[in-house]
């Protein structure tokens, strides 16, 4: 069974540009979570999607947005990139039926120059 | 979700048991204890979780005190590949619950 897959693995952008990151959850999983991990820091919760709806978002500005598609895959968009947006962006999925453990992808490393 | 407190770092000799403590004195009756770990630059990996009974799986054992205010993750025979940041998280279980809140975790260094 394939795990959570994320693309691209690495992405380099310049200030002011937009970045789009993608996530495919484990088959059968309906919830997708996005986390940001800046270098040397902990995981900061960004967004939670379930059944196509945004359920919760962390303390991030509106230029961080996303969506979940009917096949439960998800996209994270970051507009008007700033240098401090450079980080590892992690996606995780969770089945509604299980007891709450999240399964993480390997992340997308975004570098803003 | 209840707050957790973990030591920032620990060392362990290869082949010995690694015992990682976690305090969660404000845990509620319906909150589970979850452990994850993150090996450098990889996505976090689920290890184990429990409510009040001790739990064991192929990766680790989880010992929860009777009052549930603290727990210990035990890696019985640590290897160099167990070097990672270990996160203890408490939250309500179930599919309708929201995000996990990760603290700073414990950086475990397994040394030869």
């Amino acid at each position: 069974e394939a795990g959570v897959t994320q693309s691209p693995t690495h992405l380099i952008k310049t200030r002011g540009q937009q970045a789009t990151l993608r996530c495919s959850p484990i088959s059968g999983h309906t919830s997708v979570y996005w986390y940001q991990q800046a270098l040397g820091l902990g995981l900061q919760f960004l967004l939670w999607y379930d059944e196509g709806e945004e359920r919760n978002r962390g303390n991030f500005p509106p230029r961080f947005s996303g969506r979940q598609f009917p096949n439960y895959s998800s996209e994270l968009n970051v507009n008007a990139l700033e240098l401090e947006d450079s980080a590892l962006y992690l996606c995780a999925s969770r089945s509604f039926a299980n007891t709450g453990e999240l399964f993480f992808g390997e992340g997308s490393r975004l570098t803003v120059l | 979700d209840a707050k957790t407190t973990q030591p920032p770092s620990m060392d362990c000799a290869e082949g010995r048991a690694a015992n990682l403590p976690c305090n969660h004195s404000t845990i509620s009756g319906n909150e589970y204890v979850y452990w994850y770990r993150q090996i450098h630059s990889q996505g976090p990996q689920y290890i184990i979780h429990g409510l009040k009974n001790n739990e064991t799986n192929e990766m680790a054992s989880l010992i929860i005190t009777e009052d549930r205010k603290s727990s210990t993750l035990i890696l019985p025979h640590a290897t160099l590949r167990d070097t990672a940041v270990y996160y203890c998280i408490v939250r309500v279980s179930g599919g309708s619950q929201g995000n996990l809140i990760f603290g700073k975790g414990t950086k475990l260094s397994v040394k030869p």
Side-chain angles (χ1 to χ4, degrees):
Chain A
E1 179 183 283
V4 176
T5 57
Q6 293 187 243
S7 64
T9 306
H10 293 87
L11 186 62
I12 299 175
K13 294 283 187 178
T14 57
R15 272 171 36 182
Q17 286 188 312
Q18 180 200 37
T20 297
L21 309 176
R22 297 177 178 85
C23 172
S24 292
I26 291 173
S27 177
H29 287 194
T30 60
S31 275
V32 170
Y33 298 76
W34 287 95
Y35 286 83
Q36 182 199 63
Q37 187 173 34
L39 190 63
L41 299 181
L43 284 82
Q44 301 295 317
F45 167 69
L46 262 169
L47 289 159
W48 169 35
Y49 291 95
D50 183 60
E51 297 285 355
E53 300 285 332
E54 181 181 303
R55 301 297 184 182
N56 199 6
R57 68 178 290 131
N59 189 24
F60 281 85
R63 57 191 186 82
F64 287 83
S65 65
R67 54 181 172 166
Q68 187 178 32
F69 299 98
N71 66 354
Y72 303 116
S73 67
S74 178
E75 203 172 78
L76 174 68
N77 295 296
V78 188
N79 294 321
L81 285 167
E82 300 178 3
L83 296 179
E84 53 265 34
D85 296 333
S86 295
L88 181 66
Y89 289 84
L90 291 158
C91 172
S93 74
R94 187 196 72 203
S95 167
F96 186 87
N98 75 16
T99 51
E101 55 266 40
L102 298 187
F103 300 87
F104 284 83
E106 293 304 312
S108 293
R109 183 162 296 282
L110 172 64
T111 302
V112 182
L113 302 176
Chain B
D1 292 339
K3 183 176 175 176
T4 62
T5 304
Q6 299 177 253
S9 64
M10 291 182 63
D11 290 341
C12 178
E14 188 178 19
R16 304 298 294 267
N19 298 285
L20 293 94
C22 180
N23 286 317
H24 31 79
S25 59
T26 59
I27 192 170
S28 300
N30 61 347
E31 287 183 312
Y32 285 68
V33 180
Y34 290 83
W35 283 85
Y36 287 76
R37 73 179 181 183
Q38 186 176 25
I39 296 169
H40 182 63
S41 294
Q42 296 182 20
Q45 177 189 25
Y46 164 79
I47 301 173
I48 197 168
H49 74 281
L51 183 62
K52 52 185 176 182
N53 298 321
N54 298 338
E55 302 288 344
T56 296
N57 63 19
E58 65 278 5
M59 290 183 68
S61 294
L62 174 61
I63 308 297
I64 303 174
T65 58
E66 194 168 337
D67 63 6
R68 301 206 328 119
K69 293 185 177 181
S70 65
S71 60
T72 301
L73 178 75
I74 301 172
L75 308 178
H77 305 287
T79 71
L80 299 179
R81 289 177 296 179
D82 291 322
T83 293
V85 178
Y86 287 76
Y87 297 98
C88 168
I89 301 162
V90 293
R91 56 160 283 174
V92 179
S93 180
S96 64
Q97 302 308 313
N99 50 287
L100 291 179
I101 298 174
F102 287 79
K104 297 187 186 302
T106 296
K107 182 175 173 54
L108 175 69
S109 298
V110 181
K111 300 181 183 300

